[in-house]
Amino acid sequence: VSELKILNLNSNGITYIDPGLNNLEELDLSNNSLQNFEYGVLEDLYFLKVLWLRENPWRCDYNIHYLFYWLKHHYNVHYNGLECKMPEEYKGWSVGKYVRSYYEECPKDKLPIYPETFDLDKDDEEWDRHKEKSVQTVKKHSVIVTVLG
């Protein structure tokens, strides 16, 4: 198993993934029953290049954030199919849109911290405008730090 490079687990009714397949380059988890990944389950996949995620009932709640952030920080991993299936109010949303909306409800004085941590969907012009407004807000405030030695 340690030399395994490609693993196709498509259509197996999988609901949970254990860590430990370190050398995988391609992992197909399509058409299973995955709702999210436990924190840390992807950490040892150093060589992963392709991750198939389509046709899973992804639950868009706080638990989906780990998967989204892991994928954004591992930009060399190509993936597809990360769309909210539940709860009903987020059904059909991309997980990225859901994560951004999660922070849009934060107090406005804390909001400028978050937009820089997300990659934007190419068709998401509203988020572009929101990001520009947040950056302008950050520029209005300044802090002077004096170091005494």
Side-chain angles (χ1 to χ4, degrees):
V1 176
S2 65
E3 298 300 318
L4 190 62
K5 303 278 187 218
I6 298 174
L7 181 58
N8 185 338
L9 296 173
N10 186 350
S11 302
N12 279 291
I14 295 170
T15 58
Y16 177 81
I17 299 291
D18 281 323
L21 297 169
N22 301 358
N23 292 317
L24 283 183
E25 293 178 5
E26 184 173 338
L27 178 58
D28 187 348
L29 296 170
S30 302
N31 197 28
N32 280 289
S33 299
L34 294 166
Q35 293 183 13
N36 62 48
F37 283 1
E38 296 290 324
Y39 180 80
V41 76
L42 299 170
E43 296 310 309
D44 293 332
L45 295 175
Y46 303 113
F47 305 106
L48 193 64
K49 295 176 183 160
V50 179
L51 182 59
W52 299 91
L53 300 169
R54 67 184 184 279
E55 301 303 320
N56 279 287
W58 299 111
R59 174 176 284 284
C60 284
D61 60 16
Y62 188 75
N63 294 317
I64 199 75
H65 288 224
Y66 166 72
L67 175 57
F68 179 74
Y69 285 122
W70 189 91
L71 289 167
K72 291 304 172 189
H73 289 288
H74 295 84
Y75 55 87
N76 56 327
V77 176
H78 299 283
Y79 66 94
N80 72 349
L82 205 50
E83 181 180 297
C84 303
K85 299 291 185 194
M86 56 181 134
E88 191 63 34
E89 64 261 27
Y90 300 116
K91 188 174 184 176
W93 286 31
S94 73
V95 170
K97 179 179 178 181
Y98 163 76
V99 171
R100 287 191 301 274
S101 75
Y102 185 88
Y103 289 109
E104 286 175 354
E105 296 183 22
C106 288
K108 292 188 188 274
D109 62 332
K110 295 187 188 246
L111 193 57
I113 295 169
Y114 298 106
E116 297 302 318
T117 64
F118 301 112
D119 287 338
L120 303 176
D121 294 335
K122 291 179 182 161
D123 59 347
D124 201 348
E125 294 175 25
E126 182 178 333
W127 186 254
D128 285 335
R129 287 192 303 275
H130 181 72
K131 181 178 174 182
E132 288 173 16
K133 183 179 176 184
S134 296
V135 170
Q136 290 170 359
T137 304
V138 170
K139 290 177 183 175
K140 290 179 185 177
H141 304 285
S142 61
V143 175
I144 298 173
V145 177
T146 305
V147 178
L148 301 173

